[in-house]
Amino acid sequence: MVFEVPVEKWASAVNTVTLGATAAEGGTRASTVTVGGSTTLPFLHFEGEIPNRPVIAMEVLDMEPQSWPETLSAPFDGVLNDPAAWAKKCVEEYGAEMICLRLLSAHPDSLNTGPEEAAAAVKKVLGAVGVPLIIWGCGQADKDNEIMPRASEAAAGENCLLGSAEQDNYKTITAACLADGHKLITAAPIDINIQKQVNILVTEMGLDAGRIVMFQATGGLGYGMEYAYSIMERTRLAALGGDKMLSMPLLAVVGPEAWKAKEAKTLEADAPQWGAEKERGVLWEAMTATCFLHGGTDILVMWHPKAVEMVRTTIDGLMKK
Amino acid sequence: MALTGLEIYKHLPKTNCRDCGVPTCLAFAMKLAQKQATLDQCPHATDEAKAALEGAAQPPIKLISIGADEKKVELGNETVLFRHEETFHHPTGIAVMVDASMAEAELLDRVRKIGEMAFERVGQNIAVNLIALRGEGAALAEAAAKITQNSPLPLILISEDAGALEKALEKCGAKKPLIYAATEQNVEQLAPLAKKFSCPLAIKAEGLEALAALSEKAQSLGAADLVLDSGAREPVEVLAHQTSIRRAALRKKFRAFGFPTICLATGKDASEEALLASQFIAKYAGIVVLDKAELWSLLPVLTARQNIYTDPQKPIQIAEGLYQIGTPDENSPVLVTTNFSLTYFTVEGDVEASKVSSWVVVVNTEGTSVLTAWASDKFNAEIIAENIKKAGVDEKAKHRKIIIPGYVAVLSGKLEELSGWKIMVGPRESSGIPSYLRNEWQAAA
């Protein structure tokens, strides 16, 4: 009996995006990261090329996180109030390939810090680590329009990834991105049509489609993971089918979503039926990330170093030909 | 996959003789495609046409069941490669391994613990479905008998020893265990055994081509219900094989692969096995067998399965009514939201984060989010007012103020009139709840 492996002939590929600029490229990064470029579905080496492995960015907040469970804060003991030291630990001890700096303190409900503080945090983290940076605002549109241009300027020439441009708020961040030579995250709430629309809007401002990474919101395991997973699959299929406005690499925010789940943070003492919290929380984050790898994500933003290590091992295995 | 009218038409006589009662062969083909007619109404259909159309009427992946009573596990009958195309139908069976060489007390303790690996999430029970028993010689039959007396879960009997399997089947064959696994070496003994006891048979080969040949051989020897193991163990190879098998069955109607699959998640610890299991669940595994299962590792595995097998067209809903978050009292805020599980759990998480104990009135909007429910008139002033009343919240909170989602601010006037409660307009996004409860609510209270 002859069995022929069924192979799909895809028309196109995911865009390739490089983040970070070394001295030769006008920046100060010691390393760069390249994602995308696949001509097939995730890890189907028998069918196409997968030139770049998915990468893990570890997230650092610009203020001490509130109410993190012990399991999560323990690996960062002593550095959670210092984003530069926190980032350094992520890179040097935990092998982060990128740092995602989240400028949370600017939120009006938080410390309501301004553009000066944002720029200072960016500079400190850039100085502390040599890996490429993702710089992400606080999530409140008006405040982000205030701080992101200065944060972007503080990293001019470093080829960072800025987040995020949204359907009803994209102009300021896109302009900053263009001015300072960065890449851009376009965001849409689990909606492939809105995602495409945002991509069209920012490219109409003159940003090359090759400078975009897409973020379509993430649901943690048990809390909408399947929505994000299916949107990723649909987007990857659209890219391979040749839709140029959906061909950008994908990013997933795993850490914050996974650790929102009560199954991740509740202590065994309070939920004996769920077993040991130490392993459970880490696994919750690692499994959320692992499912998204198969959905087609290119950049995973993660929190716990042990989950990072587990997912890195998983990626190693999936990249073996 | 069902044939279209035109595909069926190719197999008909194309004489338009009307003997079937329909004016043309094409019209009859259309009726067949819509299942409004059957082929035996055509007296001229050739045997060849009958065979072709009957073959096409079979599901591309056969439905296999393991176990005999209410705990039986049904696998297969899948129709798509991606869940968004329709849905995945029969959730991956999760099996945990025990060894027949274990001492009786240890074995029964493990079996009891496996039975306790069951959780309730969003109103559904999620649990381990199968016990995989590995063993040789007489120990296999003894352990199989003990397990079937002590657990309702169906068995997978794992052995290379045909004699041991036969003895075990004599003890527990009526419970329809899955026999694992026939190989090129022993298929001639195991396939007739599967037939004799009417049990499903797993077949294991090294690689896809060998697996296809073995599948045909097992079927020709009388084993009708198969479960496939391509022998792949490295995750990247498992993914390639799982994808190829599913594609061949669905796209090429390759009958040798028209069965569910089985994957072994074997790792250095329970975390690694759980991560392997989640990948196999996402990528088409019919059964996943874990060796090192703990409560904390099975909860995420079963949750991943629940997520992946949720029908994209039927969002998970929670029951309508009054929910309490923290320890609310008569002065605590009352919020209203919809019964789409994600909407509710997002609100729940944000209220918890606010550290302000609250009451939440959940309205049945058939599992839609706030904006969708409002747009389809399932979350209007009348319905909300009725739900506030039904939930009995007036007995719980004395302030008679209710917080509605910012997106439905437009309902305020009418809702205030109908309910008699003072309406406060909350944030549009759930993420604004902590700040809202700490600031606006505290100021109003």
Side-chain angles (χ1 to χ4, degrees):
Chain A
M1 143 138 309
V2 181
F3 173 71
E4 221 178 293
V5 174
V7 172
E8 301 278 350
K9 287 188 187 70
W10 302 109
S12 194
V14 177
N15 295 347
T16 302
V17 175
T18 296
L19 300 165
T22 60
E25 293 145 347
T28 63
R29 301 299 82 204
S31 59
T32 63
V33 156
T34 300
V35 294
S38 288
T39 62
T40 179
L41 294 167
F43 314 110
L44 296 187
H45 301 280
F46 66 88
E47 182 164 272
E49 295 302 313
I50 304 165
N52 300 297
R53 48 185 280 148
V55 300
I56 302 170
M58 287 183 76
E59 186 167 80
V60 166
L61 313 182
D62 72 339
M63 56 181 281
E64 191 157 354
Q66 306 298 305
S67 59
W68 269 19
E70 162 72 16
T71 309
L72 186 52
S73 57
F76 303 107
D77 190 32
V79 298
L80 287 172
N81 54 3
D82 178 354
W86 184 349
K88 209 172 157 64
K89 198 171 182 105
C90 287
V91 174
E92 289 173 10
E93 267 182 55
Y94 302 136
E97 295 151 274
M98 293 182 75
I99 291 294
C100 177
L101 173 63
R102 180 81 62 161
L103 300 169
L104 263 194
S105 71
H107 200 287
D109 296 336
S110 178
L111 305 177
N112 203 20
T113 55
E116 296 305 322
E117 288 96 330
V122 168
K123 285 217 155 110
K124 268 175 68 180
V125 174
L126 277 173
V129 297
V131 299
L133 238 57
I134 301 171
I135 305 170
W136 212 317
C138 68
Q140 209 266 354
D142 294 338
K143 234 14 233 301
D144 282 346
N145 289 340
E146 234 179 86
I147 62 162
M148 286 310 287
R150 289 293 305 280
S152 164
E153 196 188 358
E158 297 284 6
N159 191 16
C160 299
L161 183 58
L162 303 189
S164 59
E166 286 161 40
Q167 191 181 22
D168 45 14
N169 187 39
Y170 63 92
K171 288 185 179 156
T172 308
I173 196 164
T174 307
C177 189
L178 281 165
D180 302 317
H182 297 305
K183 303 275 164 44
L184 182 66
I185 300 170
T186 57
I190 312 207
D191 187 317
I192 206 162
N193 297 314
I194 296 177
Q195 178 69 67
K196 194 166 170 173
Q197 178 64 16
V198 186
N199 291 340
I200 292 170
L201 290 170
V202 303
T203 48
E204 278 174 353
M205 280 182 71
L207 190 85
D208 189 274
R211 287 171 68 179
I212 297 172
V213 170
M214 299 185 281
F215 169 58
Q216 304 186 317
T218 312
L221 181 63
Y223 296 86
M225 180 275 277
E226 72 275 25
Y227 290 85
Y229 177 84
S230 281
I231 278 284
M232 286 171 190
E233 288 198 321
R234 288 175 61 195
T235 309
R236 171 64 72 93
L237 290 167
L240 297 178
D243 188 334
K244 292 296 166 204
M245 277 300 129
L246 285 171
S247 294
M248 301 78 177
L250 293 171
L251 176 146
V253 178
V254 176
E257 292 296 331
W259 288 93
K260 252 190 220 168
K262 52 179 174 289
E263 290 90 337
K265 49 187 185 185
T266 305
L267 301 181
E268 185 178 12
D270 297 326
Q273 76 279 12
W274 289 347
E277 75 265 4
K278 241 176 158 168
E279 286 86 356
R280 175 165 28 88
V282 169
L283 184 57
W284 206 265
E285 181 177 4
M287 194 177 288
T288 304
T290 300
C291 291
F292 291 153
L293 284 175
H294 287 275
T297 221
D298 299 282
I299 302 175
L300 296 157
V301 177
M302 298 185 64
W303 275 359
H304 199 289
K306 220 167 158 197
V308 167
E309 190 190 318
M310 284 157 62
V311 174
R312 191 179 292 128
T313 306
T314 301
I315 296 172
D316 288 345
L318 291 168
M319 286 304 289
K320 273 188 219 153
K321 286 184 193 171
Chain B
M1 217 168 294
L3 292 182
T4 66
L6 279 177
E7 284 164 335
I8 295 170
Y9 176 66
K10 287 179 199 154
H11 296 282
L12 297 180
K14 306 189 189 74
T15 51
N16 299 339
C17 69
R18 298 180 180 230
D19 289 351
C20 61
V22 179
T24 65
C25 288
L26 183 60
F28 181 60
M30 295 300 171
K31 279 189 176 280
L32 284 175
Q34 290 162 11
K35 305 211 187 312
Q36 291 169 354
T38 52
L39 190 61
D40 55 17
Q41 290 170 280
C42 171
H44 313 293
T46 60
D47 287 344
E48 199 190 332
K50 281 179 192 156
L53 296 179
E54 270 161 24
Q58 282 175 25
I61 299 173
K62 191 172 182 185
L63 187 72
I64 303 296
S65 82
I66 304 172
D69 42 32
E70 76 273 15
K71 291 277 185 189
K72 77 175 175 203
V73 177
E74 292 194 316
L75 308 164
N77 220 352
E78 299 298 336
T79 51
V80 290
L81 281 158
F82 303 101
R83 56 184 294 283
H84 67 259
E85 294 175 321
E86 185 177 303
T87 185
F88 291 166
H89 295 276
H90 290 94
T92 310
I94 304 296
V96 176
M97 189 87 87
V98 297
D99 204 298
S101 64
M102 284 174 165
E104 178 166 350
E106 192 193 354
L107 178 74
L108 293 182
D109 185 54
R110 185 68 180 151
V111 165
R112 180 181 56 77
K113 285 195 175 126
I114 292 168
E116 286 165 4
M117 291 177 177
F119 312 92
E120 202 200 313
R121 288 197 82 256
V122 290
Q124 298 181 349
N125 291 309
I126 55 176
V128 170
N129 317 73
L130 297 148
I131 294 174
L133 170 65
R134 172 177 53 198
E136 310 299 332
L140 186 70
E142 282 165 30
K146 274 178 226 152
I147 294 171
T148 42
Q149 281 157 20
N150 286 280
S151 168
L153 296 181
L155 278 177
I156 304 175
L157 296 173
I158 301 183
S159 187
E160 286 169 8
D161 178 346
L165 284 167
E166 181 157 18
K167 288 210 174 64
L169 286 166
E170 279 161 8
K171 296 269 190 203
C172 69
K175 300 270 187 188
K176 306 293 167 216
L178 172 66
I179 305 164
Y180 179 99
T183 60
E184 272 168 54
Q185 287 72 41
N186 65 11
V187 66
E188 273 154 18
Q189 288 128 44
L190 292 193
L193 209 54
K195 188 182 177 190
K196 178 177 161 195
F197 289 95
S198 307
C199 289
L201 176 69
I203 58 169
K204 182 186 164 207
E206 296 305 317
L208 294 173
E209 213 158 302
L211 185 66
L214 186 59
S215 170
E216 299 223 311
K217 191 160 185 190
Q219 289 181 73
S220 73
L221 291 166
D225 291 345
L226 303 181
V227 174
L228 311 175
D229 180 354
S230 72
R233 295 296 178 261
E234 287 288 328
V236 69
E237 198 191 1
V238 174
L239 173 67
H241 285 184
Q242 290 288 310
T243 305
S244 297
I245 291 170
R246 176 68 69 94
R247 279 180 179 176
L250 294 185
R251 299 261 165 93
K252 312 265 184 204
K253 301 201 179 72
F254 186 71
R255 307 295 327 176
F257 286 172
F259 299 95
T261 59
I262 182 167
C263 295
L264 307 191
T266 310
K268 68 177 187 325
D269 55 32
S271 289
E272 192 179 307
E273 292 197 353
L275 286 184
L276 288 171
S278 68
Q279 302 180 62
F280 301 160
I281 288 166
K283 289 296 169 181
Y284 317 132
I287 298 171
V288 172
V289 185
L290 296 105
D291 215 341
K292 304 173 184 71
E294 305 286 343
L295 286 171
W296 55 262
S297 70
L298 261 294
L299 175 64
V301 167
L302 295 169
T303 303
R305 178 184 65 177
Q306 183 184 37
N307 281 175
I308 293 292
Y309 278 85
T310 293
D311 185 342
Q313 309 302 321
K314 290 183 201 140
I316 298 181
Q317 307 177 22
I318 62 162
E320 64 179 15
L322 185 66
Y323 287 72
Q324 57 180 77
I325 298 172
T327 49
D329 58 25
E330 58 182 22
N331 297 314
S332 301
V334 182
L335 298 89
V336 61
T337 191
T338 77
N339 78 330
F340 176 33
S341 63
L342 284 187
T343 301
Y344 175 75
F345 286 119
T346 311
V347 168
E348 183 192 47
D350 288 318
V351 172
E352 274 171 6
S354 77
K355 305 226 187 312
V356 179
S357 289
S358 304
W359 302 101
V360 180
V361 177
V362 171
V363 177
N364 179 2
T365 58
E366 293 162 33
T368 53
S369 64
V370 169
L371 268 180
T372 314
W374 174 74
S376 57
D377 217 26
K378 291 175 190 135
F379 198 58
N380 61 28
E382 286 84 0
I383 292 173
I384 298 173
E386 191 195 315
N387 274 272
I388 293 172
K389 204 169 158 197
K390 246 186 355 199
V393 62
D394 49 353
E395 292 158 27
K396 305 282 187 185
K398 66 171 187 188
H399 49 72
R400 299 182 76 78
K401 291 189 198 83
I402 198 152
I403 303 166
I404 64 169
Y407 278 118
V408 293
V410 60
L411 301 177
S412 304
K414 191 160 183 203
L415 182 55
E416 196 153 307
E417 201 178 292
L418 288 173
S419 67
W421 285 61
K422 181 173 162 36
I423 305 303
M424 293 179 67
V425 177
R428 289 177 147 214
E429 298 294 338
S430 175
S431 55
I433 287 176
S435 151
Y436 184 88
L437 291 182
R438 285 196 297 258
N439 303 311
E440 270 95 323
W441 167 259
Q442 299 297 0

